[in-house]
Amino acid sequence: KLAIKTSVKILSPIDKILKRFLVFLASRKINKMPNLTVIGITGSYGKTTTKDALAHILTPKYKTLKTEGNYNTLLGVAKTILKNLKPKHEIFIVEMAAYQPGDIKNIFNLVKPKIGIITAIGTMHLERFGTEENIFKTKLELIESLPSNGIGFLPKELEQKIKNFNIKS
């Protein structure tokens, strides 16, 4: 047990530095593509289906890249950028997962979407967020962070929750 604890204590800071470096490299790469249209998708469920359907619709007309599989965390999105994003791409569809408040905002800051889609918000990962309101506010980080010329989409049934949680829309 002591060896494992010591190893974790030594390797954790190195792991954090390496992850930050990967995100930094991905940020440099994507920032060199000012004409790239980024679409961010989050929600408690329906993210992957929405991402795949949107990619299916857009791919015949635009050179489109989407995050693959479970690459929907900050590090997963950074890896997709570093490995697969090419100058030829016109659209990048990014699935955004959240396991704690701030996760969506961190992914947003990396990819800077101009279009944001929230699929649905439920009580998935309630054990991590503590309250449904925290889940809701975290998912809304996507819409709240969009630029003034950005477009956000969310289900109509979420309007009442915005009012219930007293969140400005």
Side-chain angles (χ1 to χ4, degrees):
K1 279 186 170 181
L2 181 60
I4 292 172
K5 286 183 180 181
T6 304
S7 297
V8 168
K9 193 171 189 173
I10 292 169
L11 296 176
S12 263
I14 295 168
D15 182 60
K16 285 181 182 177
I17 290 168
L18 290 174
K19 286 177 180 175
R20 284 187 186 147
F21 185 64
L22 285 175
V23 171
F24 169 76
L25 291 175
S27 177
R28 286 193 49 190
K29 183 175 182 179
I30 198 168
N31 286 337
K32 291 178 182 175
M33 300 179 68
N35 296 324
L36 181 69
T37 298
V38 179
I39 302 169
I41 300 172
T42 193
S44 298
Y45 49 88
K47 297 182 295 290
T48 303
T49 301
T50 303
K51 172 191 71 177
D52 290 342
L54 198 52
H56 183 76
I57 292 166
L58 294 173
T59 297
K61 184 167 180 165
Y62 302 98
K63 294 190 179 16
T64 304
L65 175 67
K66 64 179 180 171
T67 51
E68 292 294 333
N70 62 352
Y71 277 35
N72 58 12
T73 63
L74 180 62
L75 191 57
V77 173
K79 287 179 180 179
T80 298
I81 292 168
L82 291 170
K83 184 178 175 187
N84 300 326
L85 187 64
K86 307 287 185 244
K88 68 177 183 177
H89 286 117
E90 299 169 285
I91 296 177
F92 183 27
I93 304 170
V94 180
E95 182 176 336
M96 303 170 144
Y99 298 100
Q100 62 188 8
D103 281 352
I104 300 298
K105 181 75 171 165
N106 289 335
I107 298 169
F108 183 96
N109 288 336
L110 172 60
V111 299
K112 298 174 187 72
K114 290 194 177 136
I115 300 169
I117 300 169
I118 296 179
T119 58
I121 299 178
T123 55
M124 281 65 170
H125 306 300
L126 188 60
E127 73 284 356
R128 294 175 185 243
F129 286 93
T131 67
E132 187 179 354
E133 182 176 359
N134 287 340
I135 295 169
F136 195 79
K137 286 180 178 179
T138 300
K139 298 299 184 181
L140 279 178
E141 291 171 0
L142 173 58
I143 303 298
E144 292 170 344
S145 300
L146 290 170
S148 59
N149 64 343
I151 301 169
F153 298 92
L154 48 102
K156 184 154 180 59
E157 61 267 14
L158 295 182
E159 288 178 14
Q160 186 58 47
K161 284 191 178 188
I162 290 172
K163 291 175 187 168
N164 290 348
F165 293 137
N166 209 12
I167 298 170
K168 294 179 182 178
S169 57

